[in-house]
Amino acid sequence: MMKTGYCSAVFLSLLALVLVLLSFVGVNPEVPKQVPYRFTGYLSWLPKLEGYDDNMLDAATLFNIITMLLSSYYALKWAYNPPTNPKLITRFYSAGDRDATSSPTIDFDRALAIYIVTTLLAGAALFFVGAGKIWVAVGIFHNASEFIILIMLGSGGKIKSSSSTFWPILGFYIFIISITCTLFKFPYDALWFKGQGLCFDWALIIEFTRIYLTTLHELKHGDANDDLNELIENEDDSSHQKSIIHHPQQLLLLIFGSIFHILGNIVFTVFIHSFYAYLAFSFSYCVAYPLYAYYIYLDFHVSSIYPQKRIYLPETPSWKVAAISIFSIALSLLTIRLGLGWPGAQWGPLKLQMEPMEL
């Protein structure tokens, strides 16, 4: 019965992928004409944007960079100066495996901080060189950070120093994406980079949601509920910190951050000709990554009603890895498919138009 459930999950994810691929049949989009980027003169991946305004773009970019700078600074400060009070240290536990050794979330928070920094660098590079082959040299590290976070969450919350395969795989991924984006002609280079990046974006939403639901279930109904409640009863009330969170609600910050990030990508993918959609994409970063930084703050500076903050990582056997990976690919292709419109339409037919108001 269990094996049937495993096969059904993989089959449904494959079915979703096939249905999305079939939706591309009959679509013959017109490839958008590239325009030179204003600083470098190189052809950009982006078409001419309707309603484009240099002044508005520079204002939005400056605000974005300032927001990301502050988020990066505080995220690194908090992540690399963890508290000494054990009550403030959150620990990862493996759901369903009581014998598994727990690990502190310090490495995960540091990976999250590095993710914010690499996104800042990618955003700054995007402003100076524009979206294109040159930008991939920096933008790939944004995606690599997402890859590290996903592997970390699937490995008990940390990358084992004894692992001899992870870092070569990461290096191989960076090398392959960089080389292929350099060699592929437009628009295949842009679609390839966009597609593989969206896979990680969707996978993060899925994983953060799974972790939140698993932790919520384990704290309320799991085996750990009894011993945690016993520790609460035996603990002196005077030892509680003044700042208390309703653990594990802080995990919602990770979910909301990943959702805002993917929403910005979806809006600009669908309305690829609209300058206002590009602004929405830019401003989504100003929301998503401060949420990630705030999560790091809460993880290290706030206690909970429990004597120990625990995050339970869901079990992820090979069949679940396959199902999540295939479904993430399907969602990535679906996002790109929405940007192509429907059969008989041209590339990016849904154009978000905003006419200036007459006073």
Side-chain angles (χ1 to χ4, degrees):
M1 183 64 69
M2 294 297 290
K3 290 184 177 180
T4 303
Y6 303 161
C7 295
S8 297
V10 176
F11 172 77
L12 289 175
S13 60
L14 281 172
L15 179 62
L17 177 59
V18 171
L19 291 176
V20 173
L21 290 174
L22 288 176
S23 70
F24 283 87
V25 176
V27 177
N28 186 25
E30 178 182 345
V31 178
K33 184 179 180 181
Q34 293 179 274
V35 294
Y37 191 64
R38 55 175 175 160
F39 292 152
T40 64
Y42 290 119
L43 292 178
S44 171
W45 283 346
L46 304 181
K48 183 177 180 181
L49 301 177
E50 297 180 357
Y52 178 83
D53 185 291
D54 281 342
N55 194 22
M56 293 174 63
L57 176 62
D58 292 344
T61 302
L62 180 61
F63 179 72
N64 194 335
I65 290 178
I66 291 175
T67 303
M68 294 297 297
L69 273 172
L70 292 173
S71 299
S72 298
Y73 169 76
Y74 284 106
L76 289 173
K77 177 183 177 181
W78 295 326
Y80 283 88
N81 293 280
T84 56
N85 185 349
K87 185 175 176 59
L88 296 176
I89 298 293
T90 309
R91 299 191 71 85
F92 282 124
Y93 284 79
S94 296
D97 187 359
R98 300 190 64 180
D99 297 328
T101 304
S102 67
S103 61
T105 60
I106 295 175
D107 287 343
F108 170 73
D109 288 328
R110 289 175 177 174
L112 203 59
I114 293 173
Y115 176 39
I116 299 172
V117 173
T118 57
T119 305
L120 164 65
L121 296 177
L126 185 66
F127 174 73
F128 288 109
V129 303
K133 294 181 181 295
I134 296 179
W135 175 76
V136 171
V138 180
I140 186 59
F141 290 99
H142 162 82
N143 295 343
S145 300
E146 295 177 326
F147 178 70
I148 292 174
I149 290 174
L150 288 169
I151 295 297
M152 183 175 289
L153 293 177
S155 305
K158 63 186 303 180
I159 303 296
K160 297 179 180 179
S161 58
S162 60
S163 175
S164 59
T165 59
F166 171 73
W167 297 111
I169 290 175
L170 179 64
F172 180 74
Y173 161 74
I174 294 173
F175 177 78
I176 287 297
I177 299 300
S178 300
I179 292 298
T180 51
C181 285
T182 300
L183 298 178
F184 288 173
K185 300 296 184 180
F186 182 81
Y188 303 107
D189 52 354
L191 289 173
W192 169 234
F193 189 85
K194 183 75 170 180
Q196 58 87 32
L198 284 171
C199 291
F200 292 133
D201 294 338
W202 281 112
L204 280 178
I205 295 179
I206 295 172
E207 279 303 294
F208 288 154
T209 303
R210 292 180 69 228
I211 291 171
Y212 171 70
L213 294 177
T214 301
T215 302
L216 204 61
H217 178 270
E218 289 293 324
L219 290 176
K220 289 185 177 181
H221 309 291
D223 295 334
N225 187 45
D226 295 334
D227 62 285
L228 280 173
N229 286 334
E230 182 179 349
L231 288 172
I232 292 173
E233 293 176 359
N234 295 333
E235 188 170 293
D236 184 4
D237 292 338
S238 62
S239 65
H240 283 281
Q241 301 291 323
K242 292 182 179 180
S243 299
I244 296 178
I245 56 172
H246 294 286
H247 181 71
Q249 301 305 319
Q250 76 275 16
L251 290 172
L252 291 173
L253 293 172
L254 298 178
I255 298 175
F256 292 152
S258 59
I259 289 176
F260 270 103
H261 181 50
I262 197 68
L263 282 178
N265 272 285
I266 291 174
V267 168
F268 186 54
T269 301
V270 174
F271 304 105
I272 194 172
H273 291 278
S274 171
F275 174 64
Y276 293 95
Y278 185 79
L279 290 182
F281 167 71
S282 179
F283 282 124
S284 69
Y285 282 69
C286 302
V287 178
Y289 293 90
L291 288 179
Y292 287 142
Y294 186 49
Y295 169 82
I296 297 174
Y297 171 81
L298 292 180
D299 205 37
F300 283 146
H301 293 82
V302 181
S303 62
S304 73
I305 61 172
Y306 300 106
Q308 184 185 73
K309 292 182 292 183
R310 297 182 179 182
I311 295 177
Y312 286 88
L313 299 176
E315 295 180 276
T316 311
S318 299
W319 70 268
K320 282 189 179 180
V321 173
I324 293 172
S325 300
I326 296 170
F327 195 60
S328 297
I329 294 172
L331 288 171
S332 172
L333 292 175
L334 178 61
T335 304
I336 294 174
R337 179 65 183 81
L338 292 174
L340 299 179
W342 305 109
Q346 292 183 338
W347 180 295
L350 301 176
K351 299 180 181 180
L352 183 63
Q353 296 181 351
M354 298 180 64
E355 298 295 336
M357 296 179 61
E358 295 184 3
L359 301 178

